[in-house]
């Protein structure tokens, strides 16, 4: 039975409660999970997919309820200030979201694989311990990264959509907007008074329009941030433009929401919140948007940071004395050692003092990974059009840093 028309807040509370019950009783579960960095796009695409699919599940779905799962422990939610900004607009909070903690162990040890189906969004290969246990249970995918060939092409009744796009959430909107509109037109809505929090079932048109507007703003947050409010020409695809138009139409159907809607101001608010990381410690900055995977027997990790390398380096040497470059390399080495990484990369994005967008790449490797690190660096330099440069706080001498036996490239 489909989940009755309701607010996003009520849906998430129900989904999390159902997950906790299923873990204890070995009931069947369909989980929708984003990538292990659990960035804003992974959050919104997984929640949107689960919310809309649960309202109108396919006839032969494994379960009628789709549970969105954040691919991080609950403690890591605090590292993402942009989430809190989005939560306010969507009338939800962190306690409504299911995380790896709710699986009774981050590897889902309490779940029986054959009692689960997994839908991937914002990635197309289930990684790490979840991948070891549940990769064979992946049923479908919507993603905008390169296809790794991990998800079966016989994905019915779920989607198998992997194509270039600025935001994965745009692809979720494109593929599920028919279900969204269909559920809005359905006549099976239950009557009832709306609670102050908007959690109860209702037929009131203004309330359902408000619920839709809240969901639309949540979805717009990641699309606008990932495409710089549709101005990043190298990333924006037609699916992004169409999704923004469709979602803004949802907002405009809710009079109270439409009267105060300003897309530019909304984008600036969420984007500013994403960059509000000055208070995070060095390790937390690296953990915030972190992924790791195994390739040819080597464990690799990458962190994306929305601040320049100089900012990271300054964080690394706080309270320490000694050579600044050595302190930074040592701090990175400690982060790698804690995760048994052979190669670790940091990709930064920031705006220069002159207002120009810029990227930086820092790669550090153990001796066993030097050849692979060199290849990775060269490929990244070509693809991202990077140039060698020095970071003042890392080295007082001009010129790029040279590789050491266990250090940076």
């Amino acid at each position: 039975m489909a989940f009755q028309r309701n607010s996003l807040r009520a849906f998430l509370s129900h989904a999390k409660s159902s997950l906790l019950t299923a873990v204890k009783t070995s009931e069947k579960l369909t989980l929708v999970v984003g990538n292990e960095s659990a960035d804003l796009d992974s959050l919104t695409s997984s929640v949107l997919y689960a919310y809309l699919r649960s309202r109108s599940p396919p006839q032969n779905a494994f379960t009628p309820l789709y549970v969105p799962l954040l691919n991080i422990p609950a403690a890591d939610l605090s590292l993402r200030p942009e989430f809190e900004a989005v939560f306010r607009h969507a009338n939800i909070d962190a306690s409504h979201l299911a995380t790896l903690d709710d699986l009774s162990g981050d590897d889902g040890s309490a779940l029986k694989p054959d009692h689960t189906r997994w839908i991937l969004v914002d990635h197309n290969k289930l990684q790490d311990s979840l991948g070891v246990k549940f990769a064979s249970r992946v049923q479908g995918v919507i993603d905008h990264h390169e296809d790794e060939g991990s998800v079966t092409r016989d994905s019915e009744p779920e989607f198998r959509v992997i194509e270039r796009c600025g935001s994965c959430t745009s692809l979720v909107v494109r593929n599920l907007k028919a279900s969204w509109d269909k559920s809005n037109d359905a006549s099976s809505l239950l009557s009832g008074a709306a609670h102050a929090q908007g959690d109860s079932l209702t037929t009131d048109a203004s309330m359902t329009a408000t619920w839709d507007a809240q969901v639309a703003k949540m979805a717009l947050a990641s699309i606008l941030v990932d495409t710089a409010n549709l101005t990043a020409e190298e990333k924006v695809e037609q699916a992004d433009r169409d999704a923004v138009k469709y979602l803004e139409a949802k907002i405009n159907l809710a009079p109270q929401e439409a009267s105060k809607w300003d897309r530019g101001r909304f984008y600036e608010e969420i984007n500013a919140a994403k960059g509000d990381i000055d208070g995070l410690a060095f390790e937390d900055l690296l953990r915030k948007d972190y992924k790791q995977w195994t390739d040819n027997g080597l464990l690799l990790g990458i962190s994306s940071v929305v601040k320049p390398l100089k900012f990271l380096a300054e964080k690394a040497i706080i309270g320490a004395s000694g050579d600044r470059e050595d302190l930074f390399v040592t701090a990175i080495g400690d982060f790698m050692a804690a995760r048994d990484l052979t190669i670790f990369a940091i990709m930064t994005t920031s705006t220069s003092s002159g207002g120009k967008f810029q990227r930086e790449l820092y790669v550090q490797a153990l001796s066993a990974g030097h050849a692979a690190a060199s290849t990775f660096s060269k490929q990244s330099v070509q693809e991202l059009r990077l140039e060698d440069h020095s970071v003042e706080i890392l080295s007082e001498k001009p010129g790029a840093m040279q590789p050491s036996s266990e250090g940076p490239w």
Side-chain angles (χ1 to χ4, degrees), residues 359-379:
R359 286 191 179 101
E360 294 170 296
L361 175 68
Y362 175 92
V363 182
Q364 186 160 315
L366 303 182
S367 55
H370 275 184
S374 178
T375 299
F376 171 76
S377 298
K378 291 176 182 177
Q379 290 175 343

Side-chain angles (χ1 to χ4, degrees), residues 309 359-361 387-392 394 398-401:
L309 276 174
R359 286 191 179 101
E360 294 170 296
L361 175 68
E387 298 177 356
D388 286 344
H389 81 115
S390 62
V391 179
E392 182 180 350
L394 296 182
M401 290 183 295

Side-chain angles (χ1 to χ4, degrees), residues 239-307:
D240 298 305
R241 300 185 186 94
D242 292 344
V244 169
K245 181 178 180 180
Y246 175 83
L247 294 168
E248 287 198 296
K250 291 289 187 187
I251 295 172
N252 288 328
L253 289 174
Q256 289 185 337
E257 300 295 332
S259 64
K260 56 188 177 183
W261 173 247
D262 183 318
R263 191 175 93 194
R265 186 171 60 194
F266 177 77
Y267 163 69
E268 293 296 341
E269 176 192 345
I270 306 302
N271 198 48
K274 182 179 179 181
D276 185 17
I277 57 176
D278 289 8
L280 295 181
F282 176 72
E283 183 175 355
D284 290 339
L285 289 166
L286 299 183
R287 288 171 51 217
K288 182 179 184 294
D289 191 347
Y290 171 76
K291 301 175 186 177
Q292 70 177 44
W293 67 98
T294 301
D295 189 4
N296 292 324
L298 302 178
L299 190 57
L300 299 83
I302 185 167
S303 292
S304 299
V305 183
V306 290
K307 292 284 187 179

